[in-house]
Amino acid sequence: MTRVKLLAAVAAVFILVLTYLSLQEHEVVPRIAKIPTSVSQPYAWTYDPVRDERNLGLTEEQCEAAFPGQDAEIVRAREWHAANGGIDQDQVKLWIDEPDKAHGQVRILIYDGDIYVVGEKQGVVDRTRYLAGLSMIYRSIVAIPDPRVLPNVEFTLDRMDHPNPEPHRPGRTAWGWCRHKTDNDTWVMPDFNGWSSSGWDAVGGYRAFREKSKPFLTPFKDKLKRALWRGQLDVGQKISTIRKKLLEVTEGKPWSDCGELQWGSRSGVVPMEEHCKWQFLIHTEGKPLKNCNSVTIIHNPLEYVAHFYPLLKSEGPDQNYVAAQNDWSDLENIMDYYLEHQDEAERIAEESKRFFRDRYLTPAAEACYIRRMIYEYAKVQNFEPQLYRNDTNEDGTVTTRVRGVSWERFAFRAPKKFDVPPFPEGYWFKSNQIDFED
């Protein structure tokens, strides 16, 4: 019996071998190709705006390849602070006794890739500004595989357009949306509009705005052959000389669609996405309109610096805007020239769209910029941020606790009561009320 079983087993094995060889011969079961251990031409990643404009988690190498030169303002700030002894912890405390008005500020701790709000001081202007700014920082952090690779930093974010107004406080260091050209201490991050506009206007979220503007990215030759500007003359309760002069120069001109904006009555409002219907857009020290395939005309020299201003080019093959005098004395000649030379105007408009809308003003570029800002800021930070603090109780015992409030909680927590007089008196309201500082 044992011999019979052995012969049966041998026969079974023989049949299996014959079946396998037959299958191999007739390729009934196709073979899976082996992955080569070496590649003669390795894959080289390049930025594709259609694929990558919303990729918030690009690697540092991809960020550098996609957005060369966008960190110029970050490098300036780092070099300035390095040359002036670095940043001490006292320099990032919430600011009181402002020379102009009550500045809204939040003191931020980024620790092990998490955001904690360790201080808040409400002020005039919309609180949603720094909520939007913190949302931008948050998404740039959580987009990478392991946020813990980022260094621990602590800083104050100021929500005003001029975080360190005259007279400047030497050494006062904050993050802000822009800085005056004489203010070297401020670190400039992308404007809060990169998340969403202020709560009192109708622009809405940045991504939604970009989507709504697409129908108006029409061929340049089909756009309105005029120059559009809308804005307030009253900037900070002072009449802007540049804006006033612009309306004087453009009044009655056949190529002009320039007019004053009245927020109260909504008189003169042109929806932001519809700005792209015009061939020419005029910028007056505000938020430049670089999301259109239109020619932007910007007065020079500018008094303020936004995070991408170093990328503006007024001449050469890569020209992406047209420079005008601060008194607009050459604006009529500019308009006459480019209305006559439409091919040149179209080239500038298309370069502006390619360079800014499709690359440097994308959410992907913003996330890369913010992470680079965190890395470079840490290099000149003279202190090691602490997540925990010790509190001494009444009975003498010590309790160790986490500082501040996690961003996830702070974002939905109602602020303390802060009474500000109605506009316009409230615009210059001064207050040293600090909600908390931990």
Side-chain angles (χ1 to χ4, degrees):
M1 180 63 78
T2 302
R3 185 177 179 182
V4 172
K5 289 183 178 179
L6 179 60
L7 290 173
V10 171
V13 171
F14 181 73
I15 292 171
L16 288 173
V17 170
L18 287 177
T19 303
Y20 173 78
L21 291 175
S22 176
L23 291 173
Q24 293 296 307
E25 181 181 355
H26 295 89
E27 295 185 346
V28 175
V29 181
R31 296 181 181 182
I32 299 174
K34 292 183 178 180
I35 299 174
T37 56
S38 62
V39 181
S40 58
Q41 292 184 342
Y43 170 70
W45 182 88
T46 55
Y47 175 80
D48 181 329
V50 176
R51 180 194 64 202
D52 298 319
E53 65 139 334
R54 297 177 66 181
N55 187 344
L56 305 177
L58 296 176
T59 67
E60 291 304 304
E61 292 76 15
Q62 289 172 330
C63 287
E64 291 178 10
F67 314 113
Q70 84 157 349
D71 62 349
E73 176 59 22
I74 300 174
V75 172
R76 178 214 62 81
R78 184 204 66 209
E79 292 180 347
W80 166 263
H81 285 282
N84 287 273
I87 301 170
D88 296 327
Q89 197 163 16
D90 284 346
Q91 292 175 248
V92 300
K93 290 182 176 179
L94 297 177
W95 193 25
I96 60 173
D97 298 324
E98 303 97 327
D100 56 344
K101 66 194 74 172
H103 282 226
Q105 305 157 39
V106 278
R107 185 169 173 176
I108 304 303
L109 169 66
I110 299 176
Y111 195 94
D112 273 353
D114 289 317
I115 297 178
Y116 300 86
V117 180
V118 295
E120 179 180 17
K121 178 181 183 293
Q122 295 185 69
V124 301
V125 188
D126 197 340
R127 184 175 183 261
T128 58
R129 284 188 173 198
Y130 57 62
L131 294 178
L134 284 172
S135 298
M136 292 158 58
I137 295 172
Y138 178 76
R139 74 177 172 188
S140 72
I141 292 175
V142 299
I144 58 177
D146 185 0
R148 292 171 298 179
V149 302
L150 294 171
N152 299 333
V153 295
E154 189 170 339
F155 59 91
T156 290
L157 173 61
D158 191 304
R159 79 167 180 255
M160 302 302 293
D161 290 330
H162 48 288
N164 199 1
E166 297 285 356
H168 292 163
R169 286 193 178 183
R172 186 200 179 242
T173 302
W175 289 25
W177 325 123
C178 62
R179 65 177 179 87
H180 192 270
K181 62 184 181 181
T182 61
D183 171 21
N184 290 305
D185 290 299
T186 294
W187 291 71
V188 179
M189 68 172 283
D191 190 89
F192 61 89
N193 285 296
W195 180 266
S196 176
S197 57
S198 296
W200 45 265
D201 68 24
V203 178
Y206 183 62
R207 274 289 313 140
F209 155 68
R210 284 168 63 90
E211 191 65 31
K212 289 189 292 184
S213 66
K214 286 181 179 179
F216 303 103
L217 299 177
T218 53
F220 186 79
K221 62 181 177 59
D222 296 337
K223 295 180 183 292
L224 298 171
K225 294 179 172 59
R226 298 192 294 276
L228 174 70
W229 179 81
R230 289 292 186 275
Q232 294 174 266
L233 289 185
D234 185 349
V235 180
Q237 289 198 311
K238 294 188 296 184
I239 297 298
S240 166
T241 302
I242 288 175
R243 298 183 180 196
K244 182 173 182 291
K245 189 65 178 176
L246 173 65
L247 291 185
E248 293 174 358
V249 168
T250 59
E251 185 177 7
K253 302 297 181 182
W255 45 261
S256 170
D257 271 334
C258 298
E260 184 178 0
L261 184 65
Q262 301 287 347
W263 279 114
S265 63
R266 306 289 294 177
S267 173
V269 172
V270 175
M272 284 297 296
E273 61 272 14
E274 293 187 21
H275 280 59
C276 297
K277 292 163 58 176
W278 277 260
Q279 283 193 348
F280 303 92
L281 302 173
I282 297 178
H283 161 71
T284 55
E285 207 76 86
K287 306 297 186 296
L289 304 162
K290 304 301 289 183
N291 268 283
C292 300
N293 57 331
S294 305
V295 175
T296 308
I297 302 173
I298 304 177
H299 63 89
N300 273 239
L302 290 162
E303 289 292 308
Y304 287 84
V305 180
H307 82 283
F308 62 91
Y309 279 12
L311 300 169
L312 291 169
K313 298 176 183 178
S314 61
E315 57 187 12
D318 298 327
Q319 181 179 357
N320 51 41
Y321 84 104
V322 172
Q325 296 294 322
N326 269 340
D327 62 359
W328 306 105
S329 57
D330 57 348
L331 181 58
E332 185 160 20
N333 289 337
I334 289 172
M335 290 300 301
D336 288 344
Y337 179 84
Y338 286 109
L339 286 171
E340 179 70 23
H341 298 82
Q342 286 279 284
D343 288 346
E344 289 187 45
E346 183 174 5
R347 178 183 59 80
I348 297 169
E350 288 303 317
E351 177 62 14
S352 177
K353 175 184 177 295
R354 183 195 71 81
F355 196 79
F356 288 110
R357 180 186 173 94
D358 294 345
R359 187 176 289 259
Y360 285 92
L361 293 184
T362 59
E366 172 200 284
C368 286
Y369 185 100
I370 290 173
R371 288 194 296 270
R372 175 52 47 190
M373 195 166 168
I374 294 170
Y375 278 116
E376 299 304 314
Y377 180 90
K379 292 177 181 179
V380 289
Q381 186 176 245
N382 292 336
F383 59 97
E384 182 59 37
Q386 299 298 314
L387 177 60
Y388 295 93
R389 64 170 293 168
N390 294 326
D391 290 340
T392 302
N393 303 314
E394 292 182 358
D395 60 0
T397 58
V398 176
T399 301
T400 301
R401 63 173 178 82
V402 172
R403 295 172 61 200
V405 184
S406 67
W407 161 246
E408 293 86 347
R409 180 67 186 90
F410 180 85
F412 299 98
R413 189 175 74 169
K416 291 186 176 180
K417 185 177 177 57
F418 181 65
D419 292 322
V420 180
F423 185 85
E425 291 78 12
Y427 188 83
W428 295 106
F429 182 68
K430 292 189 176 185
S431 171
N432 286 333
Q433 176 182 320
I434 292 178
D435 291 7
F436 72 97
E437 188 165 21
D438 201 359

